[in-house]
Amino acid sequence: MLLSKNSALESKDNEIFEVEESIAIQSELIKTMTTMVNSKAYVNERNQMVPEARCRKQANYHVEQNNKIVDEELSDWESKFFEVDMDDLHELFMAANYLEIESLLNGVTKRVGDFIKACKNVEVIRQTFGINNDFAAQQEEEIRKLNSWNHI
Amino acid sequence: MTLNFSHRPIIPAHLTEDRVSPMRIVNSYLVEGIPQKNGDGYLESWHSNCEREDCIDYGRDKSGGQFGSLEPVSNDIIDLLPSDPFGMDITSTFTAITGWLEDLEVDYGGYVRDDVGTGDGSHQLFAGLNFIWNNSMWFQTFPGECKGSVSGGLGVCSQAKERGNVSDHTGFGSAHSAQGILCFGNEDMVSVDQENDEFQDCEVCSEEHEGAPHEALSFAFGYLGLRDLFAVESVCMSLRSVVQNDPLLWRNIHIDQPLSDKLTDDVLLQITRRAQGSLQCLSLVDCQRITDEGLQCVVEENPKLVKLSVPGCTRLSIEGILNSLKALKSVGRQGVKHLRIAGVYGVTQKHFEELKLLLGMDNQIQQIVHKPHFYNRRNVCEDDRAIDIEMCLRCENVRLVYDCPAEGCQQKDHTAQLCRGCTLCIPRCIQCGRCINDGEYEETFSLELLCSDCWRDEFGCDQSCCCVAVCTAGHDFSASSGI
């Protein structure tokens, strides 16, 4: 069995992760860098922006994803993987966005969508995500009027 | 009795041991050394004194002269007795309690101001409210004999406040509202606490830009349904502009209950305009206020429409739908390829042929085998066939035609005996979709049919007496959805 090529990824806090190249190139960013650098058996990339925890999560995510061939198992595993709180989700999103990993990005945003759906009303959404209400009173009144059909 | 906070004792300990209430009033003066409001000097002393004994002695010294009962001057027993031992004189009770609680307000105001310092107003409010909440709890757990009077006094106080006998301190406005909270039940205090918790959570999870929405949020909008999108739209200005101006979010619009009842033509047009002409799939389930004209407007403005589903939209007619589809075709578009019009009445064979033409069905291979379509409550055809209705072979009407999931009906291959037809020709169980043989079903209040197995599953009995409103056997079918 051929030994797949391994990429070594260095994170911001100088920890080195070795992942199979086939997994590493799921990140569009790494893929671009790899093709540009003319990949060899051992490729050392620098991930300056990504702190360690995120990087490890990426590596885990992809390894597991590739291992789980059966759909049911994959969806179970994925739902457990994304059952994290808002801060972790935020980190995962930043990492997925920077590394441009589409499947991870989809998973994170879906989870964020679930958070939004779980909010009962607008005020709870604001509190969950820490968003300030920056509408002027007049604008709020207008919005209420426009959406009045929804509240009959 | 131990006092839990150090500033001053509310009720001096030694006095409660031998008095029924700490607020006994004699001739509208307080007996035990708790000063009334008129004694301004006392208030300052209450603020600054931390020693219990000092307070009491001070109060006693000062008030001894005023409270005749403490230093009787005559030997007559009548003079010795207090004139209003049980606080029966209501006006004096009010005054005393009001004064007492005003003292509390002033005191709490000072306490919180000192402690919280220059925090922002709302934080101070919450801190103050929490402080008062904690101390009101302390009041509630006071020795039994005082409890009734304290809570009763508070209840009375609320009325007094409402009548405008309000203390005139303005420095700590939130204490006034806290005062109101003190007068109510525990529920309000609980909600204050919750608000405080949420306030803290909000601080914890706020992003780098204080209070601005994170960019990740807009990625998540694609997963949201219409109701959630409307909620998000009202959160803040930037999210509002994202939701309203991104046509990708509005390419597939699915409107179901409870929005269906409220949806009018104008609102539908307003929503579909957000797609900026790129609307592809429109699904209106049970939208009974949508008219033919409204639908036509929508379709004309969105020529890229490919899938149209309007089950249960009773104001739509087959002619109106045909007109809308023709309008699309006339502008040279490929037009709608998937149509769901279950529930539209009066579809004749001629209409059906026209529909097939507009949907391009005559070009398709006629023998495409679709997934079997079983009868159920939802009544929506979810596979990818071009149109959900077809001609029933038994009655030759154009209606929804169902297959049969019953095992006995699967093996029949002679077309005439195939268990496939509209519900008028072959009555079916609403729950499992199987054809109903004679004598093996029950009819529910909503005129749906249930086969005996499903009846048993839903109601747990075989008795036909359950069909009536009050079952004489006392069966409870309140949990069922059929009735």
Side-chain angles (χ1 to χ4, degrees):
Chain A
M1 185 173 160
L2 281 174
L3 209 64
S4 25
K5 288 190 272 188
N6 276 1
S7 300
L9 308 173
E10 186 172 337
S11 70
K12 185 176 181 185
D13 34 8
N14 299 325
E15 189 166 327
I16 298 190
F17 298 90
E18 260 201 41
V19 288
E20 283 186 18
E21 192 170 331
S22 57
I23 296 177
I25 60 169
Q26 288 201 20
S27 156
E28 291 293 323
L29 183 75
I30 295 176
K31 187 173 171 185
T32 318
M33 290 166 91
T34 316
T35 51
M36 281 167 61
V37 174
N38 213 0
S39 64
K40 302 166 193 174
Y42 181 89
V43 178
N44 194 343
E45 306 291 348
R46 284 190 177 262
N47 263 337
Q48 285 303 329
M49 293 294 293
V50 183
E52 170 218 333
R54 289 177 191 172
C55 224
R56 179 179 296 132
K57 275 203 178 131
Q58 308 321 308
N60 282 346
Y61 181 75
H62 287 298
V63 168
E64 295 292 328
Q65 200 179 32
N66 283 317
N67 287 341
K68 298 266 188 294
I69 306 163
V70 182
D71 279 334
E72 262 181 34
E73 239 179 86
L74 181 63
S75 60
D76 278 341
W77 178 86
E78 273 193 359
S79 49
K80 286 207 192 85
F81 183 82
F82 289 117
E83 255 171 39
V84 291
D85 64 4
M86 198 59 85
D87 293 327
D88 287 341
L89 213 58
H90 175 225
E91 287 207 359
L92 271 178
F93 168 74
M94 299 295 277
N97 194 26
Y98 178 73
L99 294 172
E100 295 171 41
I101 305 171
E102 192 180 324
S103 49
L104 187 61
L105 205 58
N106 286 344
V108 170
T109 51
K110 187 159 183 294
R111 183 87 182 105
V112 173
D114 290 340
F115 266 107
I116 299 177
K117 281 181 206 168
C119 295
K120 295 224 185 312
N121 58 37
V122 176
E123 200 46 56
V124 179
I125 297 179
R126 285 191 188 123
Q127 284 164 1
T128 311
F129 295 97
I131 301 175
N132 287 340
N133 179 7
D134 56 357
F135 288 121
Q138 195 191 1
Q139 285 171 317
E140 282 224 52
E141 188 57 34
E142 273 176 36
I143 292 172
R144 244 185 1 94
K145 275 196 202 135
L146 285 172
N147 286 345
S148 58
W149 68 273
N150 200 2
H151 302 297
I152 294 167
Chain B
M1 186 206 89
T2 52
L3 296 171
N4 289 337
F5 56 95
S6 59
H7 262 219
R8 70 175 176 99
I10 299 299
I11 297 128
H14 73 284
L15 295 166
T16 58
E17 287 151 17
D18 38 356
R19 305 283 185 194
V20 173
S21 153
M23 295 189 301
R24 292 187 60 208
I25 298 131
V26 176
N27 295 329
S28 79
Y29 291 130
L30 293 172
V31 173
E32 277 83 1
I34 298 171
Q36 54 182 353
K37 183 131 198 279
N38 295 333
D40 293 321
Y42 300 158
L43 290 177
E44 273 124 31
S45 69
W46 284 120
H47 273 285
S48 52
N49 268 331
C50 292
E51 290 304 316
R52 197 174 69 203
E53 292 77 15
D54 287 347
C55 291
I56 292 166
D57 290 342
Y58 186 77
R60 230 193 210 163
D61 289 342
K62 287 290 176 187
S63 61
Q66 295 182 16
F67 305 146
S69 61
L70 287 179
E71 291 176 2
V73 290
S74 86
N75 288 327
D76 192 338
I77 192 74
I78 303 245
D79 294 327
L80 290 174
L81 292 173
S83 65
D84 187 14
F86 299 108
M88 302 295 283
D89 184 357
I90 292 294
T91 51
S92 59
T93 310
F94 275 1
T95 313
I97 294 169
T98 307
W100 178 65
L101 282 163
E102 281 160 2
D103 298 341
L104 287 181
E105 285 174 13
V106 178
D107 193 33
Y108 285 144
Y111 188 86
V112 176
R113 265 194 293 271
D114 292 341
D115 245 13
V116 176
T118 53
D120 65 282
S122 54
H123 192 71
Q124 195 173 11
L125 167 67
F126 284 124
L129 290 172
N130 259 343
F131 178 87
I132 291 171
W133 161 238
N134 291 332
N135 285 285
S136 74
M137 280 306 291
W138 178 77
F139 284 147
Q140 293 295 319
T141 56
F142 207 72
E145 58 264 30
C146 302
K147 190 173 178 186
S149 63
V150 168
S151 51
L154 289 177
V156 159
C157 166
S158 67
Q159 296 165 21
K161 292 293 178 201
E162 281 159 11
R163 275 186 238 134
N165 303 331
V166 174
S167 66
D168 54 1
H169 76 277
T170 51
F172 189 45
S174 56
H176 180 60
S177 59
Q179 174 98 37
I181 291 174
L182 266 178
C183 296
F184 298 124
N186 286 341
E187 297 82 13
D188 282 348
M189 299 309 292
V190 171
S191 66
V192 166
D193 253 355
Q194 283 172 355
E195 281 168 3
N196 201 18
D197 288 341
E198 283 166 2
F199 184 83
Q200 287 163 353
D201 286 344
C202 181
E203 287 175 332
V204 163
C205 68
S206 63
E207 310 291 351
E208 296 90 312
H209 322 282
E210 291 287 324
H214 197 267
E215 59 198 45
L217 278 183
S218 39
F219 285 86
F221 294 162
Y223 293 102
L224 297 181
L226 215 66
R227 294 186 73 195
D228 298 312
L229 279 175
F230 285 129
V232 165
E233 193 187 11
S234 306
V235 169
C236 70
M237 281 174 67
S238 48
L239 288 185
R240 186 174 174 77
S241 69
V242 167
V243 167
Q244 287 186 339
N245 300 325
D246 185 2
L248 292 178
L249 291 174
W250 304 96
R251 276 222 177 134
N252 295 353
I253 295 178
H254 172 80
I255 297 177
D256 210 333
Q257 294 292 0
L259 289 182
S260 309
D261 289 335
K262 304 166 186 167
L263 192 74
T264 61
D265 286 340
D266 294 331
V267 176
L268 178 63
L269 202 58
Q270 189 189 322
I271 295 174
T272 53
R273 277 194 176 139
R274 292 180 179 191
Q276 295 171 24
S278 64
L279 181 65
Q280 286 178 352
C281 302
L282 181 61
S283 167
L284 305 172
V285 179
D286 291 338
C287 299
Q288 296 175 352
R289 298 169 78 174
I290 300 297
T291 64
D292 289 324
E293 291 78 24
L295 185 65
Q296 185 146 2
C297 275
V298 171
V299 170
E300 279 169 4
E301 286 191 6
N302 294 283
K304 294 189 190 168
L305 193 64
V306 167
K307 183 167 177 189
L308 179 63
S309 172
V310 290
C313 299
T314 49
R315 288 181 76 174
L316 295 180
S317 68
I318 184 66
E319 288 86 10
I321 293 173
L322 278 169
N323 287 339
S324 302
L325 297 183
K326 280 181 203 164
L328 268 184
K329 278 285 193 186
S330 67
V331 294
R333 294 289 179 163
Q334 66 164 358
V336 173
K337 287 290 163 218
H338 302 275
L339 186 65
R340 302 284 176 265
I341 55 171
V344 174
Y345 295 109
V347 183
T348 64
Q349 191 66 26
K350 189 162 170 287
H351 291 138
F352 191 53
E353 294 301 324
E354 236 184 308
L355 277 175
K356 285 204 286 191
L357 201 64
L358 285 168
L359 292 169
M361 279 172 73
D362 49 337
N363 293 337
Q364 292 172 9
I365 306 165
Q366 294 296 331
Q367 300 302 320
I368 291 177
V369 178
H370 293 286
K371 275 189 339 193
H373 183 207
F374 297 136
Y375 185 48
N376 56 49
R377 277 197 177 94
R378 287 196 62 230
N379 212 20
V380 170
C381 186
E382 282 171 354
D383 59 15
D384 61 350
R385 59 183 75 188
I387 189 166
D388 52 347
I389 55 175
E390 58 185 282
M391 195 172 79
C392 172
L393 293 172
R394 299 195 179 198
C395 60
E396 295 186 0
N397 281 324
V398 181
R399 302 189 73 232
L400 279 171
V401 169
Y402 298 102
D403 300 290
C404 192
E407 285 164 11
C409 299
Q410 301 293 330
Q411 285 98 19
K412 296 190 177 143
D413 48 6
H414 185 31
T415 320
Q417 287 182 9
L418 204 61
C419 189
R420 195 160 194 277
C422 65
T423 48
L424 290 182
C425 298
I426 306 177
R428 294 190 181 277
C429 171
I430 188 81
Q431 188 72 20
C432 62
R434 285 184 293 195
C435 54
I436 285 177
N437 302 323
D438 303 316
E440 293 286 325
Y441 69 96
E442 302 286 351
E443 191 172 2
T444 67
F445 276 123
S446 32
L447 302 180
E448 295 167 339
L449 305 181
L450 281 177
C451 66
S452 50
D453 291 335
C454 291
W455 181 272
R456 203 176 305 119
D457 291 342
E458 199 146 335
F459 300 115
C461 68
D462 286 327
Q463 304 303 320
S464 58
C465 64
C466 284
C467 285
V468 303
V470 177
C471 174
T472 52
H475 292 280
D476 174 25
F477 44 83
S478 57
S480 81
S481 55
I483 292 187

